[in-house]
Amino acid sequence: MSAAIKGPSLTLKAREAISGWLFVSPILTGFMIFFVGPLIAVFYYSTTEWNLLSQQSHFVGIENYVDALTRNDTFWDVLVNSLVFAAGLVPLNMLLALGLALALSRSVRGAVFFRTVFFAPVITSAVAWAIIWTFLLQHESGAVNRALSVIGINGPNWLHEPHWAMASVIFTRVLKTVGLNMILYIAALQSIPRDYTEAARLEGANGWEIFRRITWPLLAPTTLVIMVITVVGSLKVFDHIYLMTGGGPQNATLVLAFYIYEQGFKFFNTGYASALAVILFVLILALTILQTILKAARK
Amino acid sequence: MSTIMIKRLICAAVFSGTIATNVNAEELRFTVWTGSKAHLDMLNDIANGFKQTHPDVTVRYDTIPFGDYVQKLTLQMAGGNPPDLGWLLENSAPAFVEAGALADVSKTLHATENYNYADFSTSAMGLWTKDDSVYGIPFSTSPFLVYYNKSLYDAAGLETPDQRATDGTWTWEQLKKDAATLRNADAGVWGYETVDGQGYSARVWHNLIPIIRAYGGNAWTDGTCHLDSPEAVKAIKLFHNMIYVDGSAVPPGEQGDFFSGKSALTVTQISRVSKLADANFDWGIAPLPAGPAGNAATVGQAAVVAFAQGKNKEIAAEFLAYMTSAKNVAKMAEFFPPARKSVLEGDAFLSSNPAITPAQMKIVAQGIENGSVLPSHEHFPQIEAKARPEFDALWSKDADIQATMTKLCQGIQPLL
């Protein structure tokens, strides 16, 4: 009875904190079980030799890492392929996204139509996109080479020549994903107050100077976000490669995510695949931190 | 008794009946790689037959696409959700047997009345037995055959492959000549399409091994790679010339589907005959061509297996025995050439598929009788991955075939 008279013993802040935690607990539980749990498990599995087929596993310490980094030549080829893919895709994607955003962020006639056209591949099924492009890139009967032949160019066998295969998967991947970055840039461009550019124009600045001194610096936070998600996405690419080239020809498009899949699900070396996944995780983390540091240093 | 009470009693009786049924009911999950309605209808028919002796057992077929079959199957097993039964290809057999992933069904087979295990030849059972244990029963021992577009042959006035096979002039050199003659670039018709159009990727072994064997070569024997032997190199050169000299074989990166009339010839198995149901051209089948080493029929094999981790191992083994009984093997023979000698030699087999004439079915039977199974190995997935870039290197006009195959052998030798 007396307790009831005293009223609640918790402070308002504590009660708010409890309700806050209760509200986020469903998603937090799912996040812990389906994301953090497996993430920790991968670190553990990477220290075992675990055969998926026989289900036999034993602890090997850092042996999987030592083997991948010092004895497995294919791993280094695959790593180079992943970096080439990222180095080709990221600048091309970002430049194209920025160019499209600059052209389509103004309220000119047809802008909405073209935004929809360039964004459509983002919501198109990755499988359908890849399969359609394998047909378009056929050597003799593909639409791309037929179009090139009209202007007298004898196109290569895009997906079956090692030098062209990587370029082809990069290009088709850029077309698939550029729409999302374009939308992010458009949103950022539209949030820049017009006063800035008008003031600059009154001061006699030309278009390039306005872009370099006003637009580009104000786009910097968005550029960092776009760069991080594009780099991460390019290093994790799997479906596109799986469907278009299967890692070939001559392993020219065998990238790290695909190699992890092969080790884990084709050769059943789950422990080894986990070690490779940890290496990929560390690589992505390092690149993301590096980008953030570089951006901070520029400021 | 009030109406409400009666209704409650009826409901209680119905529910208790349902519960009682569920307690006894068992479901067997069976993984297959076919999605063909004709195949699944036939398989369901066999499952219904099993209900006569096991009324509470239901068999559910799960289709997994061919290209992902082994990976998805393995994942299901690792995830604690193994199927009870499934199909397995010859090239996966050694790895699954060695890993202990398959159940030994020998006791059930020997205990099954009239099963007649001896009806399967020792060579047919080679991959699926270890000591006295039996880990699978082949349901399909399917020879590779040549399918040809008879309309194109007749229009060109050429002697057909089966006629040539009869008079002994059906060779790989002849196939090469026919393909070059029948290639019609203007009409978009190729001379020769590789197995399922995948002869440069998933089915590169199926594409090259029959030619290599006809020339007296082989993939490996007793742990030694022979893919760089002069015989193997000569065979690959023949196919290479079809692509880059004659321009008759569908090259990498092109489509030329035989079944829609875009190629005059292809090599594949008898189950693909269902794809010709609506073909708007006449077609025929012939044995694989001979080579300098004579006839070298090559057979792909798939077996029904029960999984060691399955939840209903005993009933799964009983269903395996039922499915591979003489009666059901004869039923399956319509699509899947049998490994049972009694079925293969019976007249019923020759007329088991209405789409195939008895004379054509005889070609299938001969292929099974004389054929040797595709190469398989405990480390086949690793061998396949190691060999893949070297096989890829073959597919350019100026490829050095001898050097490439030597490198391929050096790469896979440690795995053999």
Side-chain angles (χ1 to χ4, degrees):
Chain A
M1 189 74 182
S2 58
I5 294 166
K6 274 184 190 170
S9 55
L10 294 172
T11 63
L12 179 66
K13 202 176 171 187
R15 273 183 287 144
E16 278 183 349
I18 288 171
S19 18
W21 280 107
L22 282 173
F23 273 116
V24 296
S25 60
I27 186 73
L28 200 63
T29 311
F31 181 75
M32 296 302 284
I33 293 173
F34 296 110
F35 186 79
V36 178
L39 192 65
I40 294 167
V42 166
F43 279 92
Y44 167 69
Y45 293 147
S46 72
T47 60
T48 64
E49 188 180 318
W50 175 23
N51 185 303
L52 195 65
L53 191 58
S54 65
Q55 295 291 301
Q56 286 172 349
S57 161
H58 65 271
F59 184 75
V60 293
I62 58 165
E63 181 55 30
N64 288 330
Y65 294 97
V66 172
D67 183 78
L69 297 170
T70 63
R71 294 194 286 269
N72 184 350
D73 294 340
T74 311
F75 169 77
W76 290 103
D77 293 342
V78 166
L79 192 65
V80 168
N81 284 346
S82 283
L83 294 175
V84 167
F85 183 84
L89 182 130
V90 176
L92 191 60
N93 190 323
M94 292 184 67
L95 277 174
L96 196 59
L98 182 62
L100 288 170
L102 287 169
L104 300 174
S105 61
R106 297 171 216 158
S107 45
V108 289
R109 212 171 161 185
V112 175
F113 170 76
F114 283 107
R115 274 183 222 166
T116 313
V117 167
F118 287 112
F119 190 71
V122 177
I123 53 165
T124 304
S125 147
V127 177
W129 184 259
I131 290 173
I132 286 169
W133 273 102
T134 54
F135 281 105
L136 293 175
L137 293 172
Q138 283 181 25
H139 187 203
E140 287 180 30
S141 50
V144 172
N145 279 355
R146 285 194 175 192
L148 288 174
S149 69
V150 172
I151 51 169
I153 297 173
N154 191 10
N157 198 350
W158 299 99
L159 296 173
H160 293 269
E161 289 179 22
H163 298 106
W164 287 106
M166 182 58 99
S168 304
V169 291
I170 289 172
F171 178 71
T172 50
R173 184 72 178 177
V174 166
L175 292 184
K176 172 88 176 77
T177 54
V178 73
L180 183 65
N181 291 348
M182 174 195 75
I183 291 291
L184 291 173
Y185 267 133
I186 287 175
L189 283 169
Q190 288 178 342
S191 69
I192 297 174
R194 284 203 169 182
D195 309 0
Y196 296 1
T197 48
E198 276 169 20
R201 216 174 283 281
L202 287 172
E203 296 288 338
N206 62 24
W208 169 244
E209 283 165 339
I210 293 172
F211 174 77
R212 214 171 78 81
R213 304 280 181 195
I214 297 171
T215 314
W216 181 241
L218 289 173
L219 285 177
T222 310
T223 303
L224 176 64
V225 171
I226 288 177
M227 195 187 284
V228 169
I229 59 173
T230 313
V231 168
V232 172
S234 66
L235 287 173
K236 288 194 331 189
V237 67
F238 171 78
D239 51 355
H240 203 70
I241 300 285
Y242 179 82
L243 291 158
M244 289 192 75
T245 60
Q250 298 177 52
N251 289 350
T253 59
L254 188 62
V255 292
L256 203 44
F258 191 84
Y259 189 54
I260 291 169
Y261 157 79
E262 277 200 328
Q263 285 290 340
F265 303 124
K266 274 189 135 174
F267 311 156
F268 314 123
N269 297 330
T270 315
Y272 197 74
S274 301
L276 296 174
V278 170
I279 294 173
L280 178 61
F281 172 77
V282 171
L283 180 70
I284 290 174
L285 190 69
L287 283 174
T288 310
I289 292 171
L290 183 69
Q291 285 168 13
T292 318
I293 291 171
L294 285 176
K295 277 282 168 188
R298 272 194 199 173
K299 283 179 186 172
Chain B
M1 197 182 281
S2 70
T3 319
I4 293 174
M5 184 61 83
I6 292 167
K7 279 181 182 167
R8 280 180 184 166
L9 280 172
I10 292 169
C11 285
V14 169
F15 280 126
S16 61
T18 314
I19 291 164
T21 312
N22 282 340
V23 167
N24 294 327
E26 306 241 28
E27 186 182 79
L28 294 178
R29 197 162 66 83
F30 193 126
T31 51
V32 295
W33 53 74
T34 181
S36 153
K37 189 178 176 301
H39 294 176
L40 291 173
D41 284 351
M42 181 194 68
L43 294 172
N44 278 315
D45 196 34
I46 293 172
N48 289 335
F50 191 61
K51 268 189 176 293
Q52 285 177 1
T53 50
H54 297 75
D56 299 320
V57 178
T58 308
V59 181
R60 180 164 61 86
Y61 295 99
D62 258 7
T63 297
I64 302 175
F66 181 81
D68 303 330
Y69 189 80
V70 175
Q71 290 94 302
K72 289 201 171 158
L73 189 63
T74 316
L75 266 189
Q76 289 182 5
M77 288 160 63
N81 181 32
D84 297 291
L85 297 123
W87 287 355
L88 206 61
L89 266 187
E90 77 286 309
N91 59 24
S92 301
F96 274 69
V97 170
E98 288 303 320
L102 306 180
D104 175 12
V105 292
S106 58
K107 269 188 192 164
T108 312
L109 297 183
H110 291 302
T112 304
E113 217 176 318
N114 299 327
Y115 187 76
N116 190 13
Y117 178 71
D119 202 14
F120 295 96
S121 67
T122 315
S123 63
M125 290 302 299
L127 286 169
W128 311 99
T129 51
K130 194 179 171 190
D131 303 325
D132 290 335
S133 303
V134 179
Y135 294 103
I137 293 291
F139 70 93
S140 175
T141 300
S142 193
F144 284 88
L145 307 161
V146 170
Y147 281 51
Y148 65 91
N149 185 321
K150 191 169 182 304
S151 302
L152 291 176
Y153 262 86
D154 290 347
L158 295 177
E159 195 178 348
T160 60
D162 51 340
Q163 286 166 345
R164 284 195 174 278
T166 311
D167 59 32
T169 56
W170 183 228
T171 61
W172 279 102
E173 282 291 344
Q174 187 60 50
L175 179 141
K176 180 174 175 288
K177 268 186 213 162
D178 288 2
T181 309
L182 296 169
R183 163 77 168 136
N184 183 347
D186 296 336
V189 174
W190 293 92
Y192 176 78
E193 187 200 19
T194 60
V195 187
D196 292 344
Q198 298 173 351
Y200 306 102
S201 51
R203 292 188 185 270
V204 66
W205 296 86
H206 298 186
N207 176 22
L208 296 178
I209 290 296
I211 316 177
I212 290 172
R213 284 183 177 166
Y215 275 74
N218 210 340
W220 53 77
T221 52
D222 301 327
T224 307
C225 176
H226 301 303
L227 287 163
D228 58 351
S229 68
E231 294 84 4
V233 169
K234 199 173 172 193
I236 296 169
K237 270 185 184 160
L238 172 120
F239 177 65
H240 197 266
N241 285 345
M242 286 175 71
I243 312 169
Y244 296 106
V245 178
D246 303 348
S248 62
V250 182
E254 281 296 327
Q255 308 285 325
D257 184 31
F258 170 83
F259 299 94
S260 47
K262 294 289 178 194
S263 282
L265 290 147
T266 191
V267 165
T268 191
Q269 290 158 300
I270 201 69
S271 53
R272 307 305 188 283
V273 87
S274 57
K275 294 172 82 175
L276 287 163
D278 301 320
N280 57 0
F281 55 88
D282 293 334
W283 54 274
I285 58 175
L288 282 180
N295 291 310
T298 297
V299 173
Q301 201 180 48
V304 182
V305 298
F307 293 99
Q309 293 175 42
K311 293 177 191 80
N312 308 302
K313 266 194 283 188
E314 277 180 29
I315 299 175
E318 284 175 32
F319 184 70
L320 188 151
Y322 177 75
M323 184 176 234
T324 55
S325 64
K327 186 184 98 182
N328 285 323
V329 165
K331 193 179 278 181
M332 288 194 286
E334 180 183 348
F335 300 111
F336 307 117
R340 270 189 182 273
K341 285 180 278 182
S342 62
V343 180
L344 199 59
E345 287 158 8
D347 288 341
F349 169 64
L350 298 180
S351 53
S352 59
N353 188 330
I356 304 167
T357 63
Q360 290 173 331
M361 216 50 159
K362 234 175 212 168
I363 297 170
V364 178
Q366 282 164 1
I368 299 171
E369 223 170 289
N370 308 323
S372 49
V373 179
L374 282 163
S376 61
H377 195 279
E378 189 189 339
H379 298 127
F380 193 77
Q382 286 88 335
I383 292 170
E384 207 176 14
K386 199 80 189 168
R388 183 181 57 200
E390 311 312 335
F391 276 133
D392 285 346
L394 289 173
W395 315 131
S396 70
K397 198 172 183 177
D398 45 6
D400 183 340
I401 294 170
Q402 180 65 64
T404 307
M405 296 314 285
T406 303
K407 199 171 165 210
L408 187 150
C409 266
Q410 284 166 354
I412 68 170
Q413 189 57 53
L415 293 161
L416 296 171

